[in-house]
Amino acid sequence: MSGFLKWLAGLNPFAQIPLVIGAFLLVAGILIFFIEIAPRTGRRYTVIRALVCVLAPVTVFLLLGSIWLAAVVAAVLGGVFFLLDYRARAGAGYLFQLIGFLSPAMFLLAIGLVYPTVATFFKAFMNARGSRFVGFENFVFVFGQEANRVAIINTVIWVLVVPAFSTAVGLAYAVFVDKARGEKFLKALVFMPMAISFVGASIIWKFVYDANQVDQPQIGLLNGIITFFGGQPIDFINIAPWNNLFLMVILIWVQTGFAMVVLSAAIKGVPAEQMEAAQLDGTNAWQRFTNVTVPGIRSSLIVVLTTISIASLKVFDIVQTMTGGSNGTNVLANAVYAQKLEEGRASAFAVILFLLVLPIIIYNVRQMRLQKEIR
C-alpha cells in the first residue's frame, strides 16, 4: 500500500468520502476537458491522447501501487477516446466539454453541500464522538425533552408569523409609497435595517426592551414611555410566551425592507393597461389591488415568503443575543449550537431543521415550474 493510501486510510471515514469523490471529479473533469478541446485529428490530438493514456495509468500505479487498477484506467481512457472520436464524426462532442467545465463546480458543490448534508444524516444516528451507531437514540432525546419540543414549536411559530407579517407590511408600504413624492427616501428608510446584522439589530432592540427595577431609571425606550405615563416597567423579553413575539418583531423589522423592495419592483412591472381597464370597469382601489396587482406579483410574493421563511427557520443570532434561548424562547438553530459538544444530538436537530425546510423548497420549485409552463 502506498503512502497516499496509508494517509487516506488514517482519516476519519467522513473525511474520506469527499476526498475520493472530489479527486475523481476533478481528475476526470481535467482529463475530459483537455481531451475535448484538442483537435479531432492531427499530431496534436495524437500527442495529447498518448500522454493521457500513458501518464494517467502510470500515476494510478505510483499512487495505488496496483497494476490492475492502472490497466483499468488505461482501458477506460481508451474507451473515452473511442467515444469522443465517434461523437466527433457524428458532429457532436459537446457533452464531455460541458462536463469538463462543470467539474470544478461539481467538486465544490460536493465538498460544500452534498458531503455536509450526507455526513450530518449519518452523524444523527451516531454517538457524540461518531464512533458508535445508536439508532434513533438522538431523536428520542430531541422529542423526549420538554425544552426541545418547545424549541420545535417556537420554530414553527416563527415560520408562520414572521413571513406573513413581513410580507404584509412590506407589500402595504410598497403600495402606499408607489409613485409618491419622496418615494426613494421613504423606501430607503424602511430598507436601512437590512444593512444591519442580526446581532446589531438585536442589540438595538435590547435597548428598546430593556427593563430596570422600579426605583431605577429606565434606559429602555418602551419602559421609559410606560413609566413616564405612570405605569410599571415590563420585562418584555422574559414574559413567556409573549417574549417570543417580541423577538419576532426584530426579524420582521429587518426583513420588511427586503419584502418592500422586491414587491415594489414587481408592482411597477404590472402592466398599466390592466389597471386602466379595471378602473374603466368601475372597480375601486381595493378590487384593483386584489384582482390585478396581487395576481400580477404572485411569483414575487412566493419568492419573498420562501426567502423569509427559510430565514425564520434558521434564526439563531437574535435568540442567542437577546435571551440565549432561556425563558421558553429557544429555537432549533440555537438548540443545534447548544448541543455543539454532542455531535449526534446536534446533527439530529439539524436533520429536523432540514426536514422543515424541505417542504418550503419543494413548494417553491413547483411554483417556479408552473410559472414556466404559463410563460
Side-chain angles (χ1 to χ4, degrees), residues 51-70:
L51 286 175
V52 172
C53 286
V54 172
L55 293 179
V58 170
T59 304
V60 170
F61 176 75
L62 292 176
L63 288 177
L64 303 181
S66 173
I67 188 65
W68 299 108
L69 286 177

Side-chain angles (χ1 to χ4, degrees), residues 20-289:
V20 174
I21 296 176
F24 172 78
L25 291 175
L26 186 61
V27 172
I30 293 174
L31 291 177
I32 294 173
F33 172 73
F34 281 108
I35 291 170
E36 186 65 23
I37 64 174
R40 295 290 173 240
T41 58
R43 183 181 303 174
R44 187 177 170 190
Y45 177 65
T46 304
V47 171
I48 291 178
R49 176 166 56 181
L51 286 175
V52 172
C53 286
V54 172
L55 293 179
V58 170
T59 304
V60 170
F61 176 75
L62 292 176
L63 288 177
L64 303 181
S66 173
I67 188 65
W68 299 108
L69 286 177
V72 170
V73 171
V76 170
L77 287 177
V80 169
F81 273 106
F82 175 80
L83 180 61
L84 285 173
D85 288 335
Y86 176 79
R87 288 175 59 81
R89 286 194 296 270
Y94 296 102
L95 175 62
F96 288 98
Q97 187 174 359
L98 181 63
I99 295 174
F101 278 116
L102 292 181
S103 292
M106 293 169 62
F107 171 74
L108 294 175
L109 188 64
I111 296 296
L113 183 62
V114 177
Y115 164 68
T117 303
V118 175
T120 300
F121 271 92
F122 275 108
K123 288 182 179 180
F125 299 94
M126 307 294 285
N127 62 354
R129 297 184 178 180
S131 59
R132 182 171 57 86
F133 180 78
V134 295
F136 289 93
E137 182 178 311
N138 294 320
F139 293 94
V140 172
F141 167 80
V142 171
F143 292 102
Q145 301 290 327
E146 177 65 24
N148 297 334
R149 293 196 295 269
V150 169
I152 296 174
I153 294 173
N154 286 342
T155 302
V156 174
I157 295 174
W158 275 76
V159 177
L160 294 177
V161 173
V162 174
F165 273 86
S166 298
T167 305
V169 175
L171 177 59
Y173 195 84
V175 171
F176 289 136
V177 303
D178 186 43
K179 299 179 182 178
R181 180 179 297 179
E183 177 183 357
K184 294 181 180 179
F185 175 74
L186 295 174
K187 288 182 178 179
L189 289 177
V190 178
F191 188 75
M192 281 177 62
M194 281 291 297
I196 305 174
S197 67
F198 286 166
V199 174
S202 301
I203 293 174
I204 292 172
W205 280 87
K206 208 163 190 177
F207 284 106
V208 175
Y209 293 142
D210 189 77
N212 289 329
Q213 299 294 330
V214 178
D215 56 343
Q216 296 180 358
Q218 302 296 324
I219 63 172
L221 176 63
L222 292 179
N223 280 310
I225 297 173
I226 291 173
T227 54
F228 177 80
F229 289 100
Q232 297 295 320
I234 302 173
D235 194 359
F236 290 98
I237 61 176
N238 289 320
I239 303 177
W242 301 106
N243 49 1
N244 286 288
L245 179 60
F246 297 134
L247 296 185
M248 293 177 198
V249 170
I250 303 174
L251 188 56
I252 293 173
W253 179 66
V254 173
Q255 294 294 330
T256 296
F258 164 74
M260 179 269 300
V261 169
V262 175
L263 296 178
S264 178
I267 289 173
K268 292 185 181 299
V270 176
E273 295 81 3
Q274 294 183 7
M275 300 295 292
E276 293 173 358
Q279 190 172 5
L280 291 174
D281 289 340
T283 59
N284 54 37
W286 175 252
Q287 290 173 331
R288 290 195 296 272
F289 173 73

